[in-house]
């Protein structure tokens, strides 16, 4: 495993792998502080690709001015040890100047998908995400790039980015990895104390309550949102930022769920830590499941 910090070296390595060795290259973009959620992406990349590259870069352009960029957990030594066990070929861990050299002035905006949900709560966030992914995709030119369903809107934005700008990269989305309590793994869980961590499990509990109502036939977005709100309200340490039901592809806000696949997503503060989570509501799959149950 080689740790690469220079974009020029990273480009050179991947160009050679592509041209001279015809290898399939998989990229797992991360901000480090790796946990089992990240590692599930690495495992799948290892299964699908001949060469696996994990990028570790806490991307300043996707953080708002009052967000946690400075205090975001960073531990490259620990991350390196973990990735060595997963047979990763390269870690790409550039400095900020390496990604955004002096005079940097070009940004990528995925319009329409970037202004709602997380984009509304975090203005500029997806511009930062789309810009850094464009740079990483251009440096590495991966055949496959791996993302977690945990950041649902990010997966939608990146799929649109790849389609619209004709990147030759296939986006693979993998399920959210959770603690046994249901809490989605997140690098930001490191900010939670023990009580907050326990309290945070209410988020997935609330989402699964609503999902169950959906399986039982509830089709009103307002009702599903109320179910989430009522469950979260049982936990005084947790304050909802938003709960929303959107089309899972266009992110159009839905009132009534019909035949489309829908995304039920939320953001919430647990103490001062902001967490996100979601479930996907599939009409066809739910119908099959409820038929099997009856
Ligand atoms: P981050 O380091 O937070 O930027 O996350 C890097 C990648 O890991 C993103 O594609 C995330 O969606 C994914 N990821 C983060 N948490 C989880 C999780 N609990 N399960 C699956 N994937 C995750």
């Amino acid at each position: 495993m080689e740790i690469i910090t220079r974009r020029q070296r990273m480009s050179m390595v991947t160009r050679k792998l592509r041209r001279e060795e015809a290898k399939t290259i998989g990229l797992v973009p991360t901000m480090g502080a790796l946990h089992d959620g990240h590692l599930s992406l690495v495992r799948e990349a290892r299964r699908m690709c001949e060469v696996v590259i994990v990028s570790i870069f806490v991307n300043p352009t996707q953080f708002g001015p009052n967000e946690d960029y400075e205090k975001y957990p960073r531990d490259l030594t620990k991350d390196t040890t973990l990735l060595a066990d997963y047979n990763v070929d390269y870690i790409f861990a550039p400095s900020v100047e390496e990604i955004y050299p002096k005079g940097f002035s070009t940004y990528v905006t995925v319009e329409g998908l970037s202004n709602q949900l997380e984009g509304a709560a975090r203005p500029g966030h997806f511009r930062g995400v789309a810009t850094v992914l464009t740079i990483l995709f251009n440096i590495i030119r991966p055949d496959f790039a791996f993302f977690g369903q945990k950041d649902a809107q990010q997966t939608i934005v990146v799929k649109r980015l790849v389609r619209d700008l004709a990147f030759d990269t296939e986006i693979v989305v993998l399920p959210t990895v959770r603690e046994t309590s249901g809490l989605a793994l997140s690098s930001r869980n490191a900010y939670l104390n023990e009580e907050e961590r326990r309290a945070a499990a209410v988020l997935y509990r609330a989402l699964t309550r609503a999902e169950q109502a959906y399986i039982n036939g509830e089709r009103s977005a307002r009702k599903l949102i109320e179910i989430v709100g009522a469950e979260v309200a049982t936990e005084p340490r947790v304050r909802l930022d938003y709960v929303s039901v959107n089309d899972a592809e266009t992110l159009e806000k839905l009132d009534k769920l019909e035949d489309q696949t829908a995304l039920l997503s939320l953001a919430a503060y647990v103490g001062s830590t902001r967490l996100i989570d979601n479930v996907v509501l599939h009409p066809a799959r739910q119908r099959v499941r409820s038929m099997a149950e009856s």
Side-chain angles (χ1 to χ4, degrees):
M1 186 170 74
E2 179 183 344
I3 302 176
I4 296 178
T5 56
R6 294 304 178 114
R7 72 150 88 184
Q8 213 181 357
R9 164 98 189 130
M10 190 74 259
S11 290
M12 202 185 77
V13 164
T14 48
R15 195 182 307 122
K16 185 159 180 290
L17 288 166
R18 225 177 6 258
R19 290 197 185 153
E20 294 172 21
E21 303 178 35
K23 301 279 200 210
T24 46
I25 299 175
L27 170 65
V28 182
T30 81
M31 299 205 298
L34 301 179
H35 51 62
D36 283 347
H38 299 113
L39 295 173
S40 73
L41 308 183
V42 174
R43 204 177 302 119
E44 184 62 8
R46 187 70 282 170
R47 202 183 64 76
M48 289 177 62
C49 305
E50 290 165 298
V51 176
V52 175
I53 302 173
V54 176
S55 63
I56 297 182
F57 180 62
V58 184
N59 175 33
T61 62
Q62 72 188 66
F63 287 79
N66 299 316
E67 293 182 2
D68 55 346
Y69 174 67
E70 297 297 338
K71 75 163 187 174
Y72 196 85
R74 293 164 171 87
D75 192 343
L76 187 58
T77 311
K78 187 165 163 222
D79 289 345
T80 305
T81 312
L82 278 172
L83 294 175
D85 283 347
Y86 280 77
N87 255 329
V88 164
D89 299 286
Y90 299 94
I91 296 177
F92 182 44
S95 65
V96 172
E97 297 71 38
E98 197 64 22
I99 293 296
Y100 300 111
K102 204 165 174 302
F104 186 91
S105 57
T106 308
Y107 292 87
V108 180
T109 306
V110 180
E111 292 186 2
L113 296 177
S114 299
N115 305 332
Q116 45 214 312
L117 303 173
E118 283 304 279
R122 307 180 65 190
H125 173 68
F126 288 111
R127 182 178 91 138
V129 169
T131 301
V132 78
L133 289 175
T134 298
I135 297 167
L136 291 173
F137 289 171
N138 280 330
I139 294 171
I140 294 169
R141 304 195 173 236
D143 297 286
F144 297 94
F146 297 83
F147 292 85
Q149 178 59 34
K150 152 93 180 354
D151 297 275
Q153 190 173 4
Q154 173 168 276
T155 69
I156 296 166
V157 168
V158 69
K159 281 184 189 163
R160 185 69 65 83
L161 168 75
V162 161
R163 192 198 73 178
D164 288 356
L165 297 189
F167 283 104
D168 198 7
T169 296
E170 190 174 317
I171 302 304
V172 180
V173 178
L174 295 165
T176 303
V177 176
R178 300 177 181 282
E179 294 187 350
T180 40
S181 70
L183 174 63
L185 298 192
S186 163
S187 306
R188 290 192 169 95
N189 292 352
Y191 302 147
L192 304 174
N193 64 33
E194 211 174 298
E195 282 174 352
E196 289 170 338
R197 208 183 181 95
R198 211 172 309 120
V202 78
L203 298 176
Y204 186 58
R205 211 157 55 234
L207 288 169
T208 46
R209 285 251 163 126
E211 182 184 34
Q212 195 54 51
Y214 176 79
I215 293 169
N216 295 340
E218 182 57 68
R219 289 295 179 269
S220 153
R222 188 177 52 79
K223 286 270 174 55
L224 296 176
I225 289 168
E226 277 171 14
I227 292 170
V228 173
E231 183 65 27
V232 173
T234 64
E235 186 43 79
R237 286 186 175 79
V238 181
R239 180 169 59 82
L240 275 175
D241 186 4
Y242 65 78
V243 190
S244 188
V245 179
N246 299 69
D247 182 283
E249 224 172 279
T250 63
L251 286 185
E252 179 199 350
K253 216 177 177 106
L254 300 176
D255 294 326
K256 197 120 199 78
L257 288 83
E258 283 158 9
D259 277 345
Q260 68 281 72
T261 300
L263 177 70
L264 171 61
S265 65
L266 60 74
Y269 287 92
V270 182
S272 57
T273 303
R274 189 170 179 281
L275 300 177
I276 58 171
D277 202 351
N278 67 85
V279 291
V280 178
L281 307 174
H282 297 278
R285 210 178 296 163
Q286 308 292 14
R287 240 191 329 268
V288 170
R289 214 194 289 178
S290 48
M291 273 165 59
E293 281 165 0
S294 62

